[in-house]
Amino acid sequence: MKSLGIYGGKSIDKVVGFLNKDEDHSQEELHQFRLALKRLRFLSQLLLLLDLDNKHVQAIINEIKPIFKSAGMIREFQLFQQMVGNLGTNDHPVTRILLDEMKNEVAWAEIVFQKNLLGTDQKTFKRFGDQLSRIDKHFPPEKLSKRIKKVLRKHMLKWPLSHDQLKVA
């Protein structure tokens, strides 16, 4: 198991790098940005579950959610365009209607995405990285792994399930 600082630090670096870039972002850059946000969101939820400094964790969740949602809409449109292009049905009337409708939706999503990016404070992500480093000091990977297992046992069924537990009544 990697330390939280290493796992989260790479994602934080990608997010901050994306936010620092002034020019337009490519499809791949947007995709990598979303993946980094997804990792941070997962990590934030894990820290909430483990009850590790929820104040800073909630700040990062609040920061990520609107950005992730608007970036997701843009990415879905990109994938849809790719799929339609691969099928070779761009000229079909129904496809044209769908693409035109989605272009309107994605134009709105891009406006919302840009607005969310402008409102994003990079310091929040850097504070989150600092917090992960502090948690690493108190919870090295072995200790963190034990804590995760303890919390999972508390909140979920123990795995693997026995044959009797799998029987349907």
Side-chain angles (χ1 to χ4, degrees):
M1 172 181 233
K2 290 182 182 176
S3 74
L4 294 178
I6 291 171
Y7 182 78
K10 289 179 182 178
S11 295
I12 289 169
D13 289 345
K14 284 184 182 180
V15 168
V16 171
F18 184 91
L19 295 174
N20 284 333
K21 187 176 175 188
D22 289 333
E23 64 239 28
D24 288 340
H25 302 287
S26 70
Q27 284 187 10
E28 184 58 26
E29 288 172 327
L30 177 64
H31 178 61
Q32 292 303 316
F33 176 70
R34 284 191 69 244
L35 289 176
L37 285 178
K38 189 181 268 191
R39 285 184 200 102
L40 291 177
R41 192 174 73 173
F42 164 77
L43 191 54
S44 301
Q45 291 167 340
L46 174 66
L47 294 179
L48 283 177
L49 181 67
L50 296 175
D51 198 27
L52 299 174
D53 197 6
N54 292 346
K55 181 178 123 185
H56 287 94
V57 172
Q58 195 59 52
I60 195 73
I61 290 172
N62 293 342
E63 195 84 27
I64 288 172
K65 195 172 187 176
I67 299 168
F68 188 76
K69 188 174 181 179
S70 55
M73 288 179 67
I74 296 167
R75 181 69 179 153
E76 284 177 25
F77 180 71
Q78 290 170 344
L79 293 174
F80 181 75
Q81 279 183 315
Q82 234 175 12
M83 181 185 73
V84 169
N86 291 343
L87 293 174
T89 58
N90 286 354
D91 295 328
H92 192 279
V94 174
T95 305
R96 292 275 22 117
I97 292 169
L98 284 172
L99 285 172
D100 289 344
E101 189 63 35
M102 286 196 81
K103 282 181 185 174
N104 293 335
E105 294 291 326
V106 84
W108 177 250
E110 285 174 346
I111 291 168
V112 172
F113 179 68
Q114 291 300 326
K115 179 182 169 248
N116 289 334
L117 283 181
L118 289 174
T120 300
D121 183 6
Q122 295 176 25
K123 291 178 185 172
T124 301
F125 291 100
K126 291 179 181 177
R127 280 194 308 270
F128 186 61
D130 293 342
Q131 185 60 26
L132 291 175
S133 296
R134 282 194 290 280
I135 290 170
D136 278 348
K137 290 178 186 171
H138 298 293
F139 291 96
E142 314 79 49
K143 193 174 179 182
L144 182 65
S145 181
K146 287 179 185 175
R147 177 133 182 196
I148 290 171
K149 287 175 185 174
K150 182 179 177 183
V151 169
L152 288 177
R153 277 190 214 107
K154 179 180 173 185
H155 292 286
M156 302 172 79
L157 293 171
K158 292 181 183 177
W159 292 92
L161 294 176
S162 69
H163 180 70
D164 292 338
Q165 290 171 312
L166 291 172
K167 287 183 181 175
V168 179

